[in-house]
Amino acid sequence: SATINVEAADLSLTRITDRASAIVGENVTYTFTLSNAGPSAATGVAVSTVIPAGLTLVSNVPSAGSFNGSVW
């Protein structure tokens, strides 16, 4: 007999917006936070998002990984 322990990542994603609405020319900041409650590490994770209509991406500052225009 054998005991097999399977561990997995436990990911959660939150998105915070710095304002509910904006006027033309104002910047809107979205902050995404991806957390892993474990117990295992998460590898090969990709997060994608759609920029809302009427908004244009100005810049991005990933704290880890990279951003290719729609996928972190």
Side-chain angles (χ1 to χ4, degrees), residues 7-14 33-45:
E7 296 184 358
D10 182 9
L11 303 177
S12 63
L13 178 67
T14 58
T33 303
L34 180 64
S35 301
N36 181 6
S40 297
T43 59
V45 175

Side-chain angles (χ1 to χ4, degrees), residues 2-26:
T3 300
I4 300 173
N5 292 324
V6 177
E7 296 184 358
D10 182 9
L11 303 177
S12 63
L13 178 67
T14 58
R15 181 183 82 175
I16 299 170
T17 307
D18 71 336
R19 63 186 75 223
S21 62
I23 59 171
V24 173
E26 286 185 325

